[in-house]
Amino acid sequence: MTMSSKADATSVWRMPLVLAALILLGLFDALLIDNAIARLIAWVLLIVPLGVGFYCFVRGLRPSLDRTRPGL
Amino acid sequence: MFSTRALGVWRFVHTWTSLLCTAFLFILCMTGLPLIFQDELQAAFPNGPQPAAVSADMPELGLDRIAGIARAAYPRDALRSLFLDDDAPQIFAILAPTIDASNDANHFLTIDAHTGAVLKDSLHPQPGGIDGFLTFVRTLHAELFLALPGDLALAVVALVFLAALVSGLVLYAPFARRASFGTVRNEGSNRLRWLDLHNVLGIVIGAWLLVVGFTGLMNTLSTPLFGLWEITDVAQLLAGYDKLPVVKPQASIQIAVDATLRAVPGSVILSVTMPTHVDGSPLHYVVWTKGASPLTSRLMTPVLVDARTGNVARVAPLPSYLRAVEISRPLHFGDYGGLPLEILWALFDVLALTVLASGLYLWTAKRFSRSKADLVADEAVLVSAE
């Protein structure tokens, strides 16, 4: 019994890979380039996945249990 | 593509590696939070007098005068080393009863780099401040109060954590493929909702967790690796010197520092160790430098400067395995991008705590407190994922 098809795997991983790329770019951007603009870019890059995380968390905790919260 | 059996194996690995390291990770995440802001906390809750506010053009006294002040404060003791503070114009002078005394006998003075005032004396500690709390938290975070065994135990924890992360990433796709990204199912039990939140938050911060976990593993190995370096490269470097008596320096400390900065241009002076048999050379000043950029800010290079002539005898870059450890440090501490990056780091930490707590809840709910109705409902949804 197989668990996923190739097409499924692509769509499942698209958003996680984008977020992972943003995090890694943000972390290494400020580390490798020592100036204010690089820092600013790093902050913005890192805020995006954090925002997604907190948005999903808060939405998942909303009290209404009558239906599934759809994805992003 | 996984068979049901393979999926079961990955679930087993994820469950038990996570459980093995959960308690440690709670400690590390909780103690990591104040450590992210330790500079700000120390500034907000100072311990004793602080360096005087002076005009920007006021020169510092120089290391030789600071050394003289330290020696004058404890004329019977030997000055072992001077450490320059990165964050404030102050210098830490390490003294001991003799130049070759054990490090356990060390005590230190904190001296204002501009005025020469003695701000703190470790033999006469002043109450208040937050230094004691931060030292407690740092020791717990870095070595669980167990010194080297604590380091090694945390290295094992880091390895187990990385296994939990990888298995969690492997498990993400089979459980997430039925719905769009970020979906939280509410039609089942509470446990189902937390399972989705656990999956979503885990995958969102997965890259950060991998980076911090891996660099944490590197950090736990730094003490044994530095020990390895001391008994191999350093022993070889100092071979032939170690039986010689400790010389009385003829060249000043400032001459040694100037020679070092010419030999390692663009570097920043971290500390100067006087000639000694303990963690140094009997014939040389050991001047420790570090890089000036975020990437190299923790990359140290020791320089041996002949204490009789003031000439650089040897620049001894750290071996590649220690350079890897040093370069990994900023990525663990998140202290290279200003206060905003520290705040973001703390928010990642909070999400990591949520992933940990939700994982623990999922396991306990499944094992201890779920009703038969929950069991049936959850299994129906989980089976649908398979």
Side-chain angles (χ1 to χ4, degrees):
Chain A
M1 180 179 176
T2 59
M3 299 310 302
S4 63
S5 68
K6 192 172 179 181
D8 285 337
T10 305
S11 61
V12 163
W13 283 109
R14 185 178 298 129
M15 190 68 171
L17 286 175
V18 168
L19 294 174
L22 290 176
I23 289 174
L24 293 177
L25 281 172
L27 294 182
F28 284 96
D29 166 45
L31 183 65
L32 298 175
I33 306 171
D34 186 18
N35 64 43
I37 294 175
R39 283 185 176 193
L40 185 64
I41 291 171
W43 300 335
V44 173
L45 289 173
L46 291 172
I47 281 172
V48 174
L50 273 173
V52 170
F54 277 101
Y55 175 72
C56 291
F57 180 64
V58 171
R59 214 176 49 155
L61 285 188
R62 279 169 64 172
S64 168
L65 296 176
D66 57 350
R67 63 183 176 86
T68 294
R69 300 284 169 207
L72 294 180
Chain B
M1 290 170 57
F2 294 105
S3 66
T4 304
R5 178 178 163 74
L7 191 70
V9 171
W10 281 110
R11 281 173 73 170
F12 178 85
V13 170
H14 184 63
T15 300
W16 288 102
T17 52
S18 303
L19 285 172
L20 277 174
C21 62
T22 291
F24 293 101
L25 291 177
F26 268 117
I27 293 173
L28 295 173
C29 286
M30 295 296 287
T31 53
L33 269 176
L35 292 178
I36 293 170
F37 300 105
Q38 60 179 321
D39 290 341
E40 289 75 15
L41 288 170
Q42 282 173 323
F45 304 100
N47 180 14
Q50 298 302 297
V54 298
S55 61
D57 56 349
M58 181 172 175
E60 296 188 352
L61 290 178
L63 293 177
D64 290 297
R65 288 200 49 196
I66 297 292
I69 292 166
R71 289 185 178 114
Y74 285 94
R76 292 182 179 177
D77 286 0
L79 176 66
R80 301 189 93 156
S81 51
L82 297 172
F83 281 81
L84 284 67
D85 191 342
D86 282 347
D87 305 313
Q90 58 188 9
I91 291 163
F92 306 105
I94 313 297
L95 299 113
T98 66
I99 196 67
D100 282 340
S102 156
N103 281 327
D104 294 337
N106 286 351
H107 62 101
F108 72 89
L109 298 171
T110 306
I111 300 172
D112 189 315
H114 289 110
T115 66
V118 175
L119 304 172
K120 292 176 200 165
D121 182 343
S122 66
L123 294 181
H124 302 95
Q126 297 159 353
I130 202 164
D131 288 355
F133 168 74
L134 287 175
T135 301
F136 173 87
V137 169
R138 193 180 304 114
T139 311
L140 180 60
H141 186 91
E143 58 187 40
L144 302 172
F145 290 102
L146 294 173
L148 183 59
D151 277 330
L152 297 177
L154 286 176
V156 174
V157 169
L159 280 173
V160 174
F161 173 55
L162 289 172
L165 274 178
V166 170
S167 54
L169 291 175
V170 169
L171 286 173
Y172 171 76
F175 286 96
R177 71 192 177 92
R178 292 281 177 180
S180 56
F181 178 83
T183 298
V184 177
R185 291 169 293 179
N186 282 329
E187 73 267 28
S189 66
N190 222 19
R191 181 174 169 271
L192 195 61
R193 184 164 51 140
W194 278 102
L195 173 66
D196 284 344
L197 278 171
H198 180 81
N199 288 341
V200 169
L201 294 182
I203 203 70
V204 165
I205 64 168
W208 182 84
L209 288 171
L210 278 172
V211 168
V212 173
F214 182 73
T215 53
L217 172 64
M218 301 284 281
N219 274 329
T220 59
L221 297 175
S222 71
T223 302
L225 289 179
F226 266 100
L228 176 67
W229 176 65
E230 282 179 9
I231 61 175
T232 55
D233 295 15
V234 174
Q236 190 179 8
L237 188 69
L238 299 178
Y241 299 136
D242 51 353
K243 298 289 189 290
L244 299 175
V246 174
V247 300
K248 184 175 172 58
Q250 303 296 314
S252 71
I253 299 172
Q254 194 60 50
I255 286 175
V257 165
D258 292 343
T260 299
L261 291 175
R262 285 194 297 274
V264 192
S267 62
V268 175
I269 301 297
L270 193 61
S271 69
V272 181
T273 301
M274 306 297 135
T276 174
H277 287 107
V278 180
D279 297 337
S281 158
L283 300 187
H284 304 94
Y285 290 111
V286 181
V287 183
W288 286 86
T289 68
K290 62 175 187 169
S293 72
L295 181 64
T296 60
S297 64
R298 294 176 188 271
L299 196 55
M300 299 183 290
T301 302
V303 179
L304 293 184
V305 181
D306 193 313
R308 296 160 299 183
T309 65
N311 294 326
V312 170
R314 183 81 181 266
V315 178
L318 296 179
S320 53
Y321 57 88
L322 284 182
R323 295 173 76 82
V325 168
E326 297 295 294
I327 283 181
S328 75
R329 287 185 196 271
L331 283 169
H332 188 74
F333 300 130
D335 58 356
Y336 56 95
L339 183 60
L341 186 64
E342 292 176 8
I343 293 170
L344 295 174
W345 219 261
L347 293 174
F348 274 115
D349 194 85
V350 169
L351 284 183
L353 278 167
T354 310
V355 174
L356 282 176
S358 58
L360 194 58
Y361 165 75
L362 290 171
W363 183 75
T364 52
K366 181 179 181 182
R367 192 165 180 84
F368 298 116
S369 63
R370 61 191 309 192
S371 67
K372 195 161 185 175
D374 283 347
L375 180 76
V376 171
D378 284 2
E379 283 306 317
V381 181
L382 291 174
V383 165
S384 79
E386 297 174 8

